[in-house]
Amino acid sequence: MKRIVLFVILLTTTYGYAQTLLSYEKSPVFKGCDSIEVDQLKSCFNYNLNSFIYKNFKTPQIVIDESYVGDVKVLFEVSKEGEFKTLYIDAIYDELKIESKRVFDSLPKIQPATYNGIPTFVQYSISIDIPLKEPVEVVKLSIEKEKELSEKEELNVTLSNEFDDVNKALKPYENLEYNSQLNIPFTHSYYARFDDEMNAIGTNSHTASKPFVYSDVARYYDIKAEKESLVNDTDSWLGRKLFNEHLVEVQGEDYWFTVDPILDLQVGKDTEADFNTTWNNTRGVNIQAGLGKRFNLSASVYESQGRFADYFNQYSESLKAFGPDPAIIPGRGIAKRFKDDAYDYPVAEAYLSYTPADFLNVQFGHGKNFIGDGYRSLLQSDVSSPHPYLKLNATFWKIKYTSTWMWLKDVRDEVVDDKAFLTKYMANHYLSWNVSKRLNIGLFESVIWADSNGRGFDVNYLNPIIFFRAIEFQTGQGAGNAILGLSSKYKWNNKVNLYGQFVLDEFSLGDVKAGEKSWKNKFGYQLGVKYFNAFDVDNLLLQAEYNRVRPYVYSHNTQILNYANFNQPMAHLWGANFKELVLIGRYNYKRWFGDAKFIFGQRGLDYNTDEDSFSYGGDIYRDYNDRNADTGIEIGQGNKTNSFMTEIQAGYLLNPATNLKVFTNIIYRDYNPDTITASTKDSNTLWFSIGVRTDIFNWYNDF
């Protein structure tokens, strides 16, 4: 701990020292400024630069046609050889970015800046007004006016002294993550902020494969501008770090990194439970970094203790893994006992992101992924515990092709070998095609196989473009569990999107024609609609979604080949044999936000008694050969259970850079099985919570 404190002190001291060196002996010199006094060189440089831009900048036609009024932000460098280099350009139109780069590339070579007589490079930022304004020769202004203009435009950002390594290394932090190859932390509530921009008619975006990387979203939505618009006016270091910035943010010549604490501190009350309060205490650290322009990394480590609503605790303990630990916290991981009635559950997530070419991104990490445009996914969801994965995203023309390989765990007692969890593998292909400006179609295939009989990772599935179903036949149909899927999205207009999914595990056309409702017809589908800026209310999103999955989908006659990980489904949270209607409303205004969710569902559960031990198709961990019948299979068969759940959350965004929120959350859950058994109980829960949370992953409470 002392070493960490010492490091922070040294880092802060070093940064402060570097800031004191942000003055130089002589500014860069344009031709014609040679005879100007030294204290006027900066003003002369400013005037000549703006004059050149004013004379050479050609306003794009689209800007003129749309009567755009705004600006272009340019970060550029004058090298120690006196050459201009653009480092970053931000504008609402790509045409403005292209034109700005053209103008800066045509600037003449000038005399470089010097420090103690030695040539050095210096970086500037400038704002180009649109429409263009003729510059005023600052040299002729009064000293007070010159100072005012200089402070407004703040041309000098940082200076490098070739003989001072500290000053050369550090720069003011410029929020480079917002255009990096890092993932935008996937939460349904935050992604709703830019969902309408990503889904506008004519955009060539691909929105099903999540999480998104910042650079993909930056083409359609300016996250950096959004974050900056939410900045609170505070000058103190503590105020900036609490409300506006990362705790530690460092930027050098070809690297940057940030360090932030992670918190999830909440307290609440479950009216159905015997204990007095519910609570959660999560502390952690999140590190983000960039090395060069194409390599990024992120790591999050959490240490947590918590006690939740009674239904949540019961579900967690029903997921129990082999060994002494009593529960698996859904979406998190194995939990050991904390005191008498709470859980201790550490979690670590991290990944490396590398973009060797503009069309290809490669990620290797420990985390979760999601495929779909809805709240649920019938193809691949983020409801299970984090796991190792390798993912390739290739984007070209109107295509985005995602290949993902995952290392999963079966943690049940009966499959443990020498106290080690069974490893199984999943490989996915997902092809997203923008057929037109309105229509998107996605094709999905997935296969699961297990590390049994020394098989290990099957290289047959390593090929990113091969058809898994063909490989399954070559290796033996009992060697893997293959699933096919289809997704689609139609942009009705810029305010209404229709979306859907279809998953196929097995299908018998003959049984369909016979009308026998065969168990072999294992499929499910999703239908949904999103209404952006509903009723002309900015930032109001309304969503309706219907999910329906037949019995025995995702299960297999070899139990270890089920579509699951850590005793949790890899697709829909409820497994199979269910139908569900989800209604969602989301609204945000500046830093305020509010979400409301209503879920109506019906499931068919197993009885799990001596008198009736059949599998009715809802528990995907059970062998489908234990089914109750071959025909007459319907959704809701078995112990029919109706449920209703509503969740309402409201709060305030404390820090937009870290997504730290203060919130209050209310859950009402009514759960009514036809038959009460040892494993299925009725429940009527009202769960109220308040807290502060770094909101960077989805919490699902709707079991």
Side-chain angles (χ1 to χ4, degrees):
M1 184 64 186
K2 292 181 179 179
R3 293 181 180 178
I4 295 175
V5 174
L6 180 60
F7 170 76
V8 173
I9 293 174
L10 288 174
L11 184 65
T12 306
T13 305
T14 302
Y15 184 74
Y17 176 63
Q19 291 292 89
T20 64
L21 297 177
L22 297 183
S23 59
Y24 50 85
E25 192 170 316
K26 190 175 180 182
S27 300
V29 181
F30 272 97
K31 184 178 180 179
C33 294
D34 312 67
S35 59
I36 301 297
E37 295 181 5
V38 172
D39 60 355
Q40 294 289 324
L41 283 177
K42 186 175 180 180
S43 300
C44 190
F45 173 82
N46 185 14
Y47 174 72
N48 278 270
L49 174 62
N50 280 282
S51 294
F52 185 91
I53 294 172
Y54 181 76
K55 293 175 182 177
N56 293 275
F57 194 95
K58 299 177 181 178
T59 304
Q61 189 61 43
I62 187 174
V63 177
I64 298 172
D65 293 343
E66 298 188 6
S67 302
Y68 172 70
V69 177
D71 59 15
V72 181
K73 303 290 186 183
V74 182
L75 176 66
F76 66 96
E77 174 186 302
V78 180
S79 71
K80 62 181 180 180
E81 290 79 25
E83 298 173 340
F84 286 84
K85 299 178 181 179
T86 54
L87 304 177
Y88 176 76
I89 303 175
D90 188 21
I92 191 171
Y93 298 100
D94 286 340
E95 290 84 352
L96 284 174
K97 296 179 183 179
I98 294 170
E99 177 61 15
S100 298
K101 187 175 188 309
R102 184 196 68 79
V103 171
F104 271 82
D105 287 345
S106 64
L107 277 159
K109 187 174 180 179
I110 62 175
Q111 294 181 31
T114 59
Y115 185 84
N116 292 332
I118 305 298
T120 187
F121 74 80
V122 61
Q123 292 181 348
Y124 298 108
S125 64
I126 189 172
S127 178
I128 304 173
D129 290 326
I130 305 295
L132 294 173
K133 296 180 181 178
E134 186 173 3
V136 178
E137 192 168 2
V138 181
V139 178
K140 298 179 180 179
L141 300 177
S142 64
I143 294 177
E144 292 77 15
K145 187 64 177 177
E146 178 183 350
K147 181 179 179 181
E148 177 185 337
L149 185 60
S150 176
E151 289 176 348
K152 179 181 178 182
E153 296 190 351
E154 193 59 32
L155 279 174
N156 183 32
V157 176
T158 187
L159 169 73
S160 172
N161 180 3
E162 291 290 308
F163 299 98
D164 191 325
D165 291 338
V166 172
N167 194 37
K168 179 181 178 181
L170 295 179
K171 302 178 181 181
Y173 185 65
E174 299 162 355
N175 296 311
L176 297 183
E177 71 262 35
Y178 301 135
N179 284 281
S180 71
Q181 304 302 315
L182 284 174
N183 292 332
I184 303 175
F186 175 44
T187 66
H188 292 290
S189 59
Y190 182 63
Y191 274 45
R193 284 179 174 261
F194 47 81
D195 209 2
D196 57 334
E197 285 84 0
M198 294 284 288
N199 284 290
I201 293 176
T203 58
N204 192 29
S205 61
H206 300 269
T207 58
S209 182
K210 299 179 175 74
F212 305 144
V213 297
Y214 280 104
S215 59
D216 286 344
V217 175
R219 301 170 187 169
Y220 311 104
Y221 183 76
D222 194 337
I223 294 181
K224 182 178 180 181
E226 177 215 356
K227 302 286 188 181
E228 291 175 349
S229 71
L230 298 174
V231 168
N232 280 346
D233 187 12
T234 177
D235 294 327
S236 70
W237 180 89
L238 180 61
R240 288 187 290 107
K241 296 303 176 183
L242 180 60
F243 296 111
N244 297 329
E245 300 176 359
H246 298 286
L247 179 62
V248 176
E249 38 187 45
V250 174
Q251 182 178 331
E253 182 63 24
D254 55 1
Y255 67 88
W256 62 268
F257 68 86
T258 65
V259 182
D260 292 295
I262 296 173
L263 298 174
D264 187 354
L265 310 175
Q266 54 181 289
V267 62
K269 173 64 178 175
D270 173 13
T271 59
E272 192 179 37
D274 295 332
F275 44 78
N276 292 323
T277 59
T278 63
W279 53 273
N280 190 66
N281 176 14
T282 295
R283 300 88 55 217
V285 61
N286 174 248
I287 299 171
Q288 299 180 113
L291 301 175
K293 296 181 179 180
R294 296 188 177 273
F295 186 82
N296 294 101
L297 63 90
S298 175
S300 300
V301 181
Y302 312 80
E303 173 59 31
S304 305
Q305 295 82 37
R307 180 176 64 199
F308 310 97
D310 196 44
Y311 81 89
F312 193 106
N313 296 336
Q314 290 178 16
Y315 181 71
S316 300
E317 297 193 9
S318 74
L319 302 176
K320 179 187 182 307
F322 166 80
D325 299 318
I328 292 178
I329 304 301
R332 299 285 78 202
I334 293 178
K336 61 184 179 181
R337 181 65 67 194
F338 180 74
K339 296 184 177 180
D340 295 329
D341 55 3
Y343 309 102
D344 189 322
Y345 58 104
V347 182
E349 298 184 72
Y351 64 91
L352 305 175
S353 178
Y354 177 57
T355 305
D358 291 342
F359 66 88
L360 180 65
N361 176 254
V362 182
Q363 293 189 12
F364 178 65
H366 188 266
K368 298 186 283 187
N369 293 279
F370 186 99
I371 294 178
D373 286 290
Y375 175 67
R376 308 288 200 188
S377 175
L378 306 186
L379 307 181
Q380 181 183 345
S381 185
D382 60 339
V383 301
S384 79
S385 300
H387 46 270
Y389 69 90
L390 171 65
K391 181 167 70 171
L392 275 64
N393 274 320
T395 306
F396 55 94
W397 188 53
K398 301 176 182 180
I399 299 290
K400 181 173 183 178
Y401 190 72
T402 302
S403 295
T404 312
W405 296 267
M406 289 154 280
W407 287 256
L408 311 178
K409 293 291 184 181
D410 193 324
V411 299
R412 294 171 296 158
D413 293 10
E414 56 266 37
V415 299
V416 167
D417 183 15
D418 196 20
K419 298 184 179 181
F421 298 142
L422 175 72
T423 299
K424 59 184 187 179
Y425 309 94
M426 176 186 286
N428 290 348
H429 293 158
Y430 181 71
L431 186 147
S432 173
W433 175 30
N434 286 327
V435 181
S436 69
K437 293 182 178 181
R438 296 175 183 265
L439 178 64
N440 172 273
I441 292 177
L443 304 176
F444 175 82
E445 63 171 349
S446 178
V447 65
I448 284 186
W449 72 99
D451 188 9
S452 57
N453 301 321
R455 184 184 182 190
F457 189 93
D458 193 334
V459 295
N460 285 291
Y461 297 114
L462 194 58
N463 192 319
I465 58 175
I466 205 163
F467 292 101
F468 289 149
R469 185 61 92 173
I471 291 296
E472 185 192 17
F473 279 108
Q474 294 296 323
T475 58
Q477 295 187 47
N481 181 13
I483 287 177
L484 301 177
L486 173 71
S487 71
S488 63
K489 178 180 64 178
Y490 184 76
K491 304 171 186 178
W492 187 268
N493 53 43
N494 282 330
K495 299 184 72 173
V496 177
N497 270 13
L498 308 176
Y499 64 89
Q501 288 185 340
F502 179 79
V503 61
L504 179 63
D505 194 355
E506 195 169 347
F507 186 73
S508 174
L509 181 59
D511 289 330
V512 170
K513 290 181 177 179
E516 296 178 340
K517 299 182 180 178
S518 171
W519 73 275
K520 294 180 182 179
N521 293 320
K522 298 188 292 181
F523 62 87
Y525 63 86
Q526 174 188 90
L527 299 173
V529 58
K530 292 180 180 178
Y531 182 17
F532 305 114
N533 299 316
F535 307 111
D536 295 325
V537 177
D538 289 342
N539 304 316
L540 174 62
L541 169 64
L542 299 181
Q543 181 178 0
E545 179 176 301
Y546 180 71
N547 298 293
R548 185 182 181 95
V549 177
R550 280 182 54 78
Y552 309 109
V553 179
Y554 309 118
S555 61
H556 200 267
N557 59 359
T558 304
Q559 289 177 279
I560 57 176
L561 297 183
N562 52 63
Y563 205 71
N565 170 56
F566 266 84
N567 289 343
Q568 302 154 79
M570 284 296 291
H572 195 289
L573 185 65
W574 292 358
N577 192 11
F578 69 85
K579 52 187 176 181
E580 172 197 45
L581 175 64
V582 183
L583 303 176
I584 297 175
R586 304 188 190 278
Y587 177 72
N588 65 84
Y589 175 73
K590 296 183 178 179
R591 293 197 180 206
W592 296 97
F593 67 90
D595 297 333
K597 179 172 57 183
F598 304 89
I599 300 176
F600 307 83
Q602 184 180 93
R603 292 178 249 186
L605 306 179
D606 295 341
Y607 292 100
N608 293 320
T609 63
D610 293 337
E611 295 78 16
D612 190 339
S613 59
F614 291 114
S615 168
Y616 287 91
D619 183 356
I620 66 175
Y621 269 90
R622 295 199 60 178
D623 185 340
Y624 58 58
N625 285 331
D626 295 336
R627 60 188 176 273
N628 61 305
D630 290 340
T631 58
I633 303 301
E634 296 181 336
I635 290 177
Q637 67 174 14
N639 190 1
K640 185 178 294 185
T641 302
N642 294 310
S643 65
F644 168 73
M645 181 173 182
T646 181
E647 181 174 8
I648 299 175
Q649 184 175 131
Y652 181 79
L653 182 63
L654 289 175
N655 190 327
T658 62
N659 217 22
L660 181 66
K661 299 177 177 179
V662 58
F663 69 93
T664 180
N665 193 68
I666 300 175
I667 291 176
Y668 174 72
R669 177 179 182 268
D670 187 31
Y671 190 80
N672 293 299
D674 283 351
T675 304
I676 305 300
T677 68
S679 59
T680 306
K681 301 178 181 179
D682 62 352
S683 174
N684 192 279
T685 302
L686 181 62
W687 184 14
F688 170 79
S689 302
I690 58 173
V692 57
R693 171 189 296 161
T694 305
D695 197 12
I696 55 177
F697 61 87
N698 285 312
W699 268 108
Y700 295 99
N701 300 311
D702 37 31
F703 321 120

